[in-house]
Amino acid sequence: MKQNASWLYIILFILLFFVHFGIWQAWVKDFQIIFIRYYLFLSVLFIMVLTILSIIKKIYPEYIGFSFLGLMLFKLSIMFLIMNKLHLSDVPNYKYHFIPPYLVSLFLETLYAIRLIKQDENK
């Protein structure tokens, strides 16, 4: 896989951050530290998933789908464990603010995994 394709997903995720931060500043105007901590944590998980999927594609290309499912289970469980440490529940209506970025990152990871699987089938 070309390096440019991996960077495209990361740039889209960073763009999501800036758009969401602009919307956040326009309406909420509070809890910026919680917001930035959440995005830092979500960014680390996002880049970790992309990296692990790339490594698995090189080592075991036939198990990309299974590893993707395992990584999504890991990511979801880590989010539930870390949610209290990030103090997400302190933000009013936090579900409306913090679930969409998670779903967008999940969507981008899914597109990346599909691209890896399609490349493996074309060889």
Side-chain angles (χ1 to χ4, degrees):
M1 171 174 252
K2 295 180 183 177
Q3 284 288 19
N4 296 337
S6 302
W7 284 104
L8 175 68
Y9 292 103
I10 294 171
I11 290 171
L12 284 173
F13 185 76
I14 292 170
L15 218 66
L16 163 75
F17 169 74
F18 286 118
V19 168
H20 191 218
F21 191 72
I23 293 170
W24 184 275
Q25 289 298 324
W27 281 297
V28 179
K29 298 180 185 174
D30 203 6
F31 304 104
Q32 286 91 357
I33 294 174
I34 294 174
F35 179 83
I36 291 173
R37 283 183 189 166
Y38 174 71
Y39 261 101
L40 283 174
F41 182 70
L42 196 60
S43 298
V44 168
L45 285 177
F46 179 75
I47 292 172
M48 179 198 72
V49 167
L50 294 184
T51 304
I52 291 174
L53 284 175
S54 297
I55 291 170
I56 289 177
K57 184 193 181 309
K58 291 180 182 177
I59 299 172
Y60 301 111
E62 63 273 0
Y63 295 116
I64 296 171
F66 291 119
S67 60
F68 173 74
L69 290 174
L71 287 169
M72 292 305 106
L73 179 65
F74 173 76
K75 183 178 171 184
L76 186 62
S77 61
I78 290 294
M79 284 302 291
F80 279 118
L81 292 175
I82 302 296
M83 208 155 105
N84 290 335
K85 293 194 187 259
L86 292 175
H87 303 292
L88 296 181
S89 58
D90 293 348
V91 179
N93 297 324
Y94 71 96
K95 292 178 184 175
Y96 300 118
H97 299 292
F98 294 112
I99 290 178
Y102 180 83
L103 292 177
V104 169
S105 71
L106 178 66
F107 178 72
L108 291 173
E109 291 162 353
T110 304
L111 289 178
Y112 185 75
I114 289 171
R115 177 176 255 175
L116 288 178
I117 292 170
K118 281 187 176 180
Q119 278 187 346
D120 189 44
E121 288 176 356
N122 291 339
K123 288 185 177 182

